[in-house]
Every structure is written in C-alpha cells, then in structure tokens.
Amino acid sequence: MTVLEPQKTANERSSLLKALGRYWPNGSEAVAALPIVAWEMQRTESLPPACESIALPEWAEEMSVDGGLLIPRWAFLLAEGEWAKVDWFAVCFWYLHNLAERAYEDANGPIHSYAFRLKGWDSRLWERAWVNRIALFLRRWAVRESGKDEDELLGPLPETEIVLTHDVDAIEKTLAIRLKQTAFHGFNAIRFLCCFRLGQSFQRAFRAFHFLLSRENYWCFDQILELERKHGVKSRFHFYAGKIARSRGLKKWLMDPAYDVHEKRLSEQIVDLRKKKCEVGLHQSFDAWSDRDYMREEKRNLEQALGEEVTTCRQHWLRFSFRDTWKTQQEAGFRQDATLGFNDRSAFRNGAALAFNPINVGYENQLNFVAFPMVLMDSHIYDYHSFQAEERNREMSRWLDEIKAVRGQATIIWHQRVMSEDYGWAEGYEELLSKLT
C-alpha cells in the first residue's frame, strides 16, 4: 500500500485543462466553470488497482463504452456511483500520470514496459483512451450547461494525429539478431506445444530454423519510403548512435544495435531521409534509460551524422522508468519522447491517446518536455500473438479506430528491418497505411 497525495490546487486544475486543451481550442473557461467537485484529501492506492464503470447520462452515450467510463474504484466509491459527483480532474490526473504504476514502481522497481509483470491488473485500464473520452464528455457537458453552439463555444474538435515511427535496430543480419529471434521463435514453439496448439508450434519451430540459417538484407529504407510516398505520409526514424567498440561486453553485444551512424553509407542515408522530410530521432542504447551522460553522448553522435539538432527519442527495448527516464531525457537536451507503451501488448498505457507534459518525481511540478504515447507495435501482432492475416487486420483496426474515435494522438512502431523476407511484415505495414489514409 502506498500513500499518494495528488495536489488538488488551482494550478493543478489549470495544468489539466491545458493538457486537454486540444479539445477546447477557443479556451477552457466553459469547462473550468462546470460544477465538478474537488477532492482535497489523502488517499491510499491499492495495488493492483481496482476499477469500476460509472454510468454516464444518455446525452453522453457517444463518449461512453457500454454506457459508462472506467474509473478507479476509490473514485467510484467517493462519488457514490454518480457521475455528477466525480472529480473528473482527479481521475484524469490519476490516469494521465500513471499514479498506480508509479506506486508499483516505487515498491518494486521499473517494469521496463512489460505488462505481464503487472500481475492481476485489470486490462480494461489499457483498452481504451479513457482520458480522451473524459475530455469529450466534459466538452459535451459544458455545451449543455451553456446552451451555446459547440464549435462557437469551444472550437472545432481536433484532428487525429498518428505518428509513424521506425526503430532502426539493425541494418544487416548479425549473429546477435540470429540468436535472439531464433530463441524467441523457439520459445513460442514450446509455448504453443504446451497448449496443444500443434500447428502453430510446428510453424514457429520452422520459422526459428529458417531464421537461424537464412541470409537477408535489412537495408529496407527505400521500400518504406516508396510505400509511404504511395500513401502520402511521412514518418520518423529512430537511430542508435552508441559507440561501436571491438569489445563491447556480452550484454551490449546481445542487446544493442551493431551499426555506426558515422559509417558513410548510413550517414548519407540519414541525411537523405531528412531531405525527404522524414524526422530523425535517437534510439538510446539498452543501458541509457537512466544515464544522462550516455544519452548526451549518443545524441551528439547522431547530430554529428545528421548535421542538425536531434530533439526526439525513444528508448531501445522501451527500457523506461517513471522516476528516471523522462527527467534524464530532458536533462540530456531532448524535448519529446515516444517510449510510453508496452513491449508485449498493444495498449493505452496511461489510458490516453494524448501528448502531454509528464510530472516530475513527487508530482510537485511538470517537466518542460512532451511524452507522446506508443499504442501499437508490429511485434504485438506478429510475435506476441499468433494472428492470421484477417485477425491482424482486425487487431490493427481495433486500436486505430479508438485513436480516431477520440481524435487522439499516438505513435506506432514498425521496425525497419521487418520489411525484409526474414520477417515478411511488409504487407502488414501497407495494410496499416491503407487504414490511415
């Protein structure tokens, strides 16, 4: 049990109104004037967090899921199950800033983005963009209270913003990649065998054997650019920029990429991507998630190769801590991060499809820094689940439809090397692009 004391001050409410400001571009006055109760109290965070769906009025059915919105049970009890008694700002604060997961991290250490470590947690927390739905609900409520035209009062609804990203983990097939991916396929083969799913087990075993022995070209930049040109979109590439030493140690050899951004062909490719209006960001090394000096050095290396400042990043392997990572990134000179998400499942990890300013340790202030959530990754639908093509398409649509429904903001990862024959995920990326355009 961890005691949490969210600061219920005018400044905090003001910051939440600002964080949700894309839903009221004409100003937040009408939303700030809503008769929303304020809970000034100390509360205890129970882990895993229990949740309840609270029913919304009929006029807000469009914002609900099965007639209600999911809120933490402590909020449900304080509100006596009535939507009009909920401190919706407190609930948004709880979701947006991952207060429950922060409490878990304080007690157990960081999970480094693996949802399976949060045993017993209610997966509904991650299934929807609850914060965005609350914002849409407050918008509708404010319009009803004022009796004015919605767009005149609050401004138009925002456009959906989905940022396509490619984490460049490899540009050629190394021994480390052969071993890691073969082991992953082998593990899944055993897992399916234990569940008596013999066909899938055989398929994974065959893929493991094929991957171990095949020779493949991972230089897939032109293939990605051509697909994106065809669909009229631009994307962001995150490059590793750690030093490549002859002797790197087993962990760095196994976990970190093995290319040098100063190598002529690659540095020319990076510069060419910028000329073609793609963004370039840093993909920090495995151990850089809490190390400012690592980050600064790698940031400088990439900037030297690119010839301009680098301000965006995503941690390699999504290695991440609420206590350390964002603060360290800001100190290293970054202005935006796209790490917040899970390695092993698609999710709205903080119940939001929203770019926001994270709070610092202790919740006393906000960082001058933007966290841009990651909702969907290629490996979620290829490696961690054994979907058939039709199932994969439905799964992609499920997450994209939610982001679009709430006019949200999110990033998607499609690794650059998976466009190769080794993986065969190029068709999935084209299907994704067709759903976005």
Side-chain angles (χ1 to χ4, degrees), residues 120-145:
W121 285 48
D122 189 336
S123 64
R124 293 179 300 170
L125 287 165
W126 310 317
E127 299 289 329
R128 300 282 184 166
W130 299 111
V131 172
N132 305 68
R133 287 179 175 272
I134 291 171
L136 289 167
F137 167 60
L138 297 182
R139 178 183 167 100
R140 180 65 56 83
W141 188 3
V143 170
R144 285 182 61 84
E145 291 282 318

mmCIF file of all heavy atoms in Angstrom, residues 120-145:
data_model
loop_
_atom_site.group_PDB
_atom_site.id
_atom_site.type_symbol
_atom_site.label_atom_id
_atom_site.label_comp_id
_atom_site.label_asym_id
_atom_site.label_seq_id
_atom_site.Cartn_x
_atom_site.Cartn_y
_atom_site.Cartn_z
ATOM 1 N N GLY A 120 -2.268 -9.459 -12.250
ATOM 2 C CA GLY A 120 -3.550 -9.217 -11.619
ATOM 3 C C GLY A 120 -4.171 -7.874 -11.937
ATOM 4 O O GLY A 120 -5.251 -7.562 -11.432
ATOM 5 N N TRP A 121 -3.516 -7.067 -12.787
ATOM 6 C CA TRP A 121 -4.076 -5.756 -13.118
ATOM 7 C C TRP A 121 -5.240 -5.904 -14.101
ATOM 8 O O TRP A 121 -5.242 -6.794 -14.956
ATOM 9 C CB TRP A 121 -2.998 -4.855 -13.714
ATOM 10 C CG TRP A 121 -2.045 -4.329 -12.670
ATOM 11 C CD1 TRP A 121 -1.421 -5.043 -11.694
ATOM 12 C CD2 TRP A 121 -1.622 -2.976 -12.507
ATOM 13 N NE1 TRP A 121 -0.627 -4.218 -10.932
ATOM 14 C CE2 TRP A 121 -0.723 -2.941 -11.413
ATOM 15 C CE3 TRP A 121 -1.888 -1.797 -13.189
ATOM 16 C CZ2 TRP A 121 -0.119 -1.767 -10.977
ATOM 17 C CZ3 TRP A 121 -1.278 -0.625 -12.763
ATOM 18 C CH2 TRP A 121 -0.407 -0.615 -11.661
ATOM 19 N N ASP A 122 -6.200 -5.031 -13.973
ATOM 20 C CA ASP A 122 -7.385 -5.016 -14.831
ATOM 21 C C ASP A 122 -6.978 -4.488 -16.209
ATOM 22 O O ASP A 122 -6.654 -3.298 -16.368
ATOM 23 C CB ASP A 122 -8.444 -4.109 -14.205
ATOM 24 C CG ASP A 122 -9.797 -4.200 -14.901
ATOM 25 O OD1 ASP A 122 -9.827 -4.573 -16.091
ATOM 26 O OD2 ASP A 122 -10.813 -3.882 -14.260
ATOM 27 N N SER A 123 -6.996 -5.358 -17.218
ATOM 28 C CA SER A 123 -6.522 -4.958 -18.551
ATOM 29 C C SER A 123 -7.421 -3.914 -19.198
ATOM 30 O O SER A 123 -7.020 -3.263 -20.163
ATOM 31 C CB SER A 123 -6.409 -6.184 -19.464
ATOM 32 O OG SER A 123 -7.676 -6.777 -19.677
ATOM 33 N N ARG A 124 -8.626 -3.711 -18.660
ATOM 34 C CA ARG A 124 -9.506 -2.671 -19.212
ATOM 35 C C ARG A 124 -8.877 -1.282 -19.087
ATOM 36 O O ARG A 124 -9.211 -0.370 -19.845
ATOM 37 C CB ARG A 124 -10.867 -2.692 -18.514
ATOM 38 C CG ARG A 124 -11.696 -3.940 -18.785
ATOM 39 C CD ARG A 124 -13.011 -3.866 -18.026
ATOM 40 N NE ARG A 124 -12.794 -3.779 -16.577
ATOM 41 C CZ ARG A 124 -13.751 -3.503 -15.690
ATOM 42 N NH1 ARG A 124 -14.992 -3.250 -16.106
ATOM 43 N NH2 ARG A 124 -13.479 -3.463 -14.396
ATOM 44 N N LEU A 125 -7.982 -1.118 -18.126
ATOM 45 C CA LEU A 125 -7.284 0.157 -17.965
ATOM 46 C C LEU A 125 -6.589 0.586 -19.248
ATOM 47 O O LEU A 125 -6.453 1.788 -19.526
ATOM 48 C CB LEU A 125 -6.239 0.033 -16.854
ATOM 49 C CG LEU A 125 -6.725 -0.034 -15.409
ATOM 50 C CD1 LEU A 125 -5.602 -0.508 -14.507
ATOM 51 C CD2 LEU A 125 -7.244 1.325 -14.966
ATOM 52 N N TRP A 126 -6.122 -0.395 -20.011
ATOM 53 C CA TRP A 126 -5.276 -0.130 -21.176
ATOM 54 C C TRP A 126 -6.009 -0.289 -22.505
ATOM 55 O O TRP A 126 -5.421 -0.075 -23.556
ATOM 56 C CB TRP A 126 -4.079 -1.092 -21.158
ATOM 57 C CG TRP A 126 -3.355 -1.125 -19.846
ATOM 58 C CD1 TRP A 126 -3.023 -0.069 -19.055
ATOM 59 C CD2 TRP A 126 -2.875 -2.297 -19.174
ATOM 60 N NE1 TRP A 126 -2.366 -0.494 -17.931
ATOM 61 C CE2 TRP A 126 -2.251 -1.861 -17.971
ATOM 62 C CE3 TRP A 126 -2.883 -3.662 -19.462
ATOM 63 C CZ2 TRP A 126 -1.671 -2.748 -17.068
ATOM 64 C CZ3 TRP A 126 -2.304 -4.549 -18.556
ATOM 65 C CH2 TRP A 126 -1.706 -4.079 -17.377
ATOM 66 N N GLU A 127 -7.290 -0.662 -22.450
ATOM 67 C CA GLU A 127 -8.018 -0.991 -23.672
ATOM 68 C C GLU A 127 -8.589 0.226 -24.388
ATOM 69 O O GLU A 127 -8.890 0.165 -25.579
ATOM 70 C CB GLU A 127 -9.164 -1.964 -23.359
ATOM 71 C CG GLU A 127 -8.730 -3.295 -22.762
ATOM 72 C CD GLU A 127 -8.034 -4.190 -23.760
ATOM 73 O OE1 GLU A 127 -8.373 -4.106 -24.947
ATOM 74 O OE2 GLU A 127 -7.151 -4.966 -23.357
ATOM 75 N N ARG A 128 -8.772 1.313 -23.668
ATOM 76 C CA ARG A 128 -9.409 2.500 -24.240
ATOM 77 C C ARG A 128 -8.648 3.768 -23.849
ATOM 78 O O ARG A 128 -7.920 3.794 -22.856
ATOM 79 C CB ARG A 128 -10.852 2.631 -23.732
ATOM 80 C CG ARG A 128 -11.743 1.452 -24.092
ATOM 81 C CD ARG A 128 -12.214 1.503 -25.523
ATOM 82 N NE ARG A 128 -13.149 0.426 -25.819
ATOM 83 C CZ ARG A 128 -13.909 0.383 -26.906
ATOM 84 N NH1 ARG A 128 -13.836 1.353 -27.801
ATOM 85 N NH2 ARG A 128 -14.730 -0.638 -27.114
ATOM 86 N N ALA A 129 -8.890 4.815 -24.615
ATOM 87 C CA ALA A 129 -8.303 6.120 -24.307
ATOM 88 C C ALA A 129 -9.260 6.856 -23.371
ATOM 89 O O ALA A 129 -9.976 7.777 -23.771
ATOM 90 C CB ALA A 129 -8.054 6.906 -25.592
ATOM 91 N N TRP A 130 -9.258 6.444 -22.097
ATOM 92 C CA TRP A 130 -10.242 6.940 -21.131
ATOM 93 C C TRP A 130 -10.108 8.443 -20.906
ATOM 94 O O TRP A 130 -11.114 9.148 -20.756
ATOM 95 C CB TRP A 130 -10.110 6.184 -19.819
ATOM 96 C CG TRP A 130 -10.342 4.714 -19.935
ATOM 97 C CD1 TRP A 130 -9.427 3.711 -19.796
ATOM 98 C CD2 TRP A 130 -11.591 4.059 -20.244
ATOM 99 N NE1 TRP A 130 -10.011 2.472 -19.994
ATOM 100 C CE2 TRP A 130 -11.336 2.658 -20.265
ATOM 101 C CE3 TRP A 130 -12.882 4.515 -20.499
ATOM 102 C CZ2 TRP A 130 -12.332 1.726 -20.532
ATOM 103 C CZ3 TRP A 130 -13.880 3.587 -20.760
ATOM 104 C CH2 TRP A 130 -13.600 2.205 -20.785
ATOM 105 N N VAL A 131 -8.892 8.946 -20.850
ATOM 106 C CA VAL A 131 -8.691 10.381 -20.612
ATOM 107 C C VAL A 131 -9.317 11.204 -21.734
ATOM 108 O O VAL A 131 -9.997 12.206 -21.489
ATOM 109 C CB VAL A 131 -7.189 10.699 -20.476
ATOM 110 C CG1 VAL A 131 -6.955 12.204 -20.420
ATOM 111 C CG2 VAL A 131 -6.611 10.027 -19.232
ATOM 112 N N ASN A 132 -9.113 10.777 -22.964
ATOM 113 C CA ASN A 132 -9.697 11.486 -24.106
ATOM 114 C C ASN A 132 -11.216 11.427 -24.053
ATOM 115 O O ASN A 132 -11.895 12.414 -24.380
ATOM 116 C CB ASN A 132 -9.208 10.887 -25.415
ATOM 117 C CG ASN A 132 -7.699 10.855 -25.519
ATOM 118 O OD1 ASN A 132 -7.031 10.125 -24.796
ATOM 119 N ND2 ASN A 132 -7.146 11.642 -26.439
ATOM 120 N N ARG A 133 -11.750 10.286 -23.665
ATOM 121 C CA ARG A 133 -13.205 10.154 -23.579
ATOM 122 C C ARG A 133 -13.770 11.069 -22.488
ATOM 123 O O ARG A 133 -14.852 11.645 -22.644
ATOM 124 C CB ARG A 133 -13.589 8.695 -23.338
ATOM 125 C CG ARG A 133 -13.404 7.825 -24.574
ATOM 126 C CD ARG A 133 -13.756 6.369 -24.335
ATOM 127 N NE ARG A 133 -13.658 5.621 -25.585
ATOM 128 C CZ ARG A 133 -14.637 5.471 -26.463
ATOM 129 N NH1 ARG A 133 -15.818 6.018 -26.215
ATOM 130 N NH2 ARG A 133 -14.461 4.782 -27.574
ATOM 131 N N ILE A 134 -13.041 11.199 -21.385
ATOM 132 C CA ILE A 134 -13.470 12.123 -20.341
ATOM 133 C C ILE A 134 -13.457 13.553 -20.878
ATOM 134 O O ILE A 134 -14.376 14.342 -20.618
ATOM 135 C CB ILE A 134 -12.569 11.988 -19.101
ATOM 136 C CG1 ILE A 134 -12.817 10.632 -18.422
ATOM 137 C CG2 ILE A 134 -12.836 13.124 -18.107
ATOM 138 C CD1 ILE A 134 -11.825 10.304 -17.316
ATOM 139 N N ALA A 135 -12.408 13.913 -21.628
ATOM 140 C CA ALA A 135 -12.338 15.260 -22.203
ATOM 141 C C ALA A 135 -13.529 15.526 -23.125
ATOM 142 O O ALA A 135 -14.136 16.606 -23.080
ATOM 143 C CB ALA A 135 -11.030 15.433 -22.965
ATOM 144 N N LEU A 136 -13.882 14.552 -23.958
ATOM 145 C CA LEU A 136 -15.034 14.708 -24.849
ATOM 146 C C LEU A 136 -16.333 14.830 -24.051
ATOM 147 O O LEU A 136 -17.238 15.585 -24.422
ATOM 148 C CB LEU A 136 -15.106 13.526 -25.813
ATOM 149 C CG LEU A 136 -14.012 13.484 -26.885
ATOM 150 C CD1 LEU A 136 -13.987 12.117 -27.576
ATOM 151 C CD2 LEU A 136 -14.212 14.593 -27.914
ATOM 152 N N PHE A 137 -16.415 14.081 -22.953
ATOM 153 C CA PHE A 137 -17.585 14.152 -22.068
ATOM 154 C C PHE A 137 -17.692 15.546 -21.437
ATOM 155 O O PHE A 137 -18.777 16.151 -21.415
ATOM 156 C CB PHE A 137 -17.463 13.068 -21.002
ATOM 157 C CG PHE A 137 -18.415 13.218 -19.852
ATOM 158 C CD1 PHE A 137 -19.786 13.218 -20.046
ATOM 159 C CD2 PHE A 137 -17.928 13.362 -18.546
ATOM 160 C CE1 PHE A 137 -20.668 13.357 -18.973
ATOM 161 C CE2 PHE A 137 -18.796 13.489 -17.477
ATOM 162 C CZ PHE A 137 -20.169 13.504 -17.689
ATOM 163 N N LEU A 138 -16.567 16.069 -20.934
ATOM 164 C CA LEU A 138 -16.589 17.406 -20.331
ATOM 165 C C LEU A 138 -16.950 18.464 -21.366
ATOM 166 O O LEU A 138 -17.655 19.440 -21.057
ATOM 167 C CB LEU A 138 -15.228 17.716 -19.704
ATOM 168 C CG LEU A 138 -14.784 16.808 -18.552
ATOM 169 C CD1 LEU A 138 -13.443 17.253 -18.007
ATOM 170 C CD2 LEU A 138 -15.831 16.766 -17.447
ATOM 171 N N ARG A 139 -16.480 18.284 -22.572
ATOM 172 C CA ARG A 139 -16.816 19.214 -23.659
ATOM 173 C C ARG A 139 -18.331 19.221 -23.888
ATOM 174 O O ARG A 139 -18.958 20.285 -23.966
ATOM 175 C CB ARG A 139 -16.062 18.800 -24.925
ATOM 176 C CG ARG A 139 -16.352 19.640 -26.159
ATOM 177 C CD ARG A 139 -15.615 19.088 -27.363
ATOM 178 N NE ARG A 139 -16.110 19.678 -28.593
ATOM 179 C CZ ARG A 139 -15.517 20.678 -29.245
ATOM 180 N NH1 ARG A 139 -14.410 21.212 -28.774
ATOM 181 N NH2 ARG A 139 -16.034 21.156 -30.362
ATOM 182 N N ARG A 140 -18.921 18.039 -23.987
ATOM 183 C CA ARG A 140 -20.368 17.948 -24.208
ATOM 184 C C ARG A 140 -21.146 18.534 -23.027
ATOM 185 O O ARG A 140 -22.156 19.228 -23.208
ATOM 186 C CB ARG A 140 -20.739 16.482 -24.430
ATOM 187 C CG ARG A 140 -22.224 16.217 -24.672
ATOM 188 C CD ARG A 140 -22.726 16.849 -25.966
ATOM 189 N NE ARG A 140 -21.956 16.408 -27.110
ATOM 190 C CZ ARG A 140 -22.167 15.263 -27.779
ATOM 191 N NH1 ARG A 140 -23.147 14.444 -27.388
ATOM 192 N NH2 ARG A 140 -21.423 14.956 -28.815
ATOM 193 N N TRP A 141 -20.668 18.255 -21.823
ATOM 194 C CA TRP A 141 -21.315 18.773 -20.616
ATOM 195 C C TRP A 141 -21.295 20.309 -20.606
ATOM 196 O O TRP A 141 -22.299 20.962 -20.293
ATOM 197 C CB TRP A 141 -20.601 18.197 -19.398
ATOM 198 C CG TRP A 141 -21.235 18.473 -18.069
ATOM 199 C CD1 TRP A 141 -22.413 19.132 -17.819
ATOM 200 C CD2 TRP A 141 -20.712 18.114 -16.786
ATOM 201 N NE1 TRP A 141 -22.650 19.206 -16.463
ATOM 202 C CE2 TRP A 141 -21.626 18.584 -15.801
ATOM 203 C CE3 TRP A 141 -19.571 17.442 -16.371
ATOM 204 C CZ2 TRP A 141 -21.403 18.394 -14.433
ATOM 205 C CZ3 TRP A 141 -19.351 17.244 -15.014
ATOM 206 C CH2 TRP A 141 -20.263 17.710 -14.063
ATOM 207 N N ALA A 142 -20.159 20.893 -20.948
ATOM 208 C CA ALA A 142 -20.038 22.351 -20.966
ATOM 209 C C ALA A 142 -20.998 22.971 -21.972
ATOM 210 O O ALA A 142 -21.587 24.038 -21.728
ATOM 211 C CB ALA A 142 -18.601 22.749 -21.288
ATOM 212 N N VAL A 143 -21.177 22.336 -23.110
ATOM 213 C CA VAL A 143 -22.102 22.833 -24.132
ATOM 214 C C VAL A 143 -23.528 22.800 -23.607
ATOM 215 O O VAL A 143 -24.304 23.753 -23.796
ATOM 216 C CB VAL A 143 -21.957 22.004 -25.427
ATOM 217 C CG1 VAL A 143 -23.078 22.333 -26.412
ATOM 218 C CG2 VAL A 143 -20.604 22.252 -26.070
ATOM 219 N N ARG A 144 -23.907 21.720 -22.924
ATOM 220 C CA ARG A 144 -25.263 21.621 -22.369
ATOM 221 C C ARG A 144 -25.502 22.695 -21.310
ATOM 222 O O ARG A 144 -26.585 23.269 -21.221
ATOM 223 C CB ARG A 144 -25.489 20.236 -21.772
ATOM 224 C CG ARG A 144 -25.690 19.141 -22.796
ATOM 225 C CD ARG A 144 -25.967 17.808 -22.111
ATOM 226 N NE ARG A 144 -27.175 17.834 -21.299
ATOM 227 C CZ ARG A 144 -28.407 17.637 -21.766
ATOM 228 N NH1 ARG A 144 -28.596 17.405 -23.064
ATOM 229 N NH2 ARG A 144 -29.451 17.665 -20.958
ATOM 230 N N GLU A 145 -24.483 22.951 -20.494
ATOM 231 C CA GLU A 145 -24.636 23.956 -19.439
ATOM 232 C C GLU A 145 -24.794 25.360 -20.021
ATOM 233 O O GLU A 145 -25.517 26.194 -19.482
ATOM 234 C CB GLU A 145 -23.421 23.920 -18.509
ATOM 235 C CG GLU A 145 -23.316 22.670 -17.639
ATOM 236 C CD GLU A 145 -24.255 22.698 -16.453
ATOM 237 O OE1 GLU A 145 -24.393 23.761 -15.815
ATOM 238 O OE2 GLU A 145 -24.881 21.650 -16.160
#
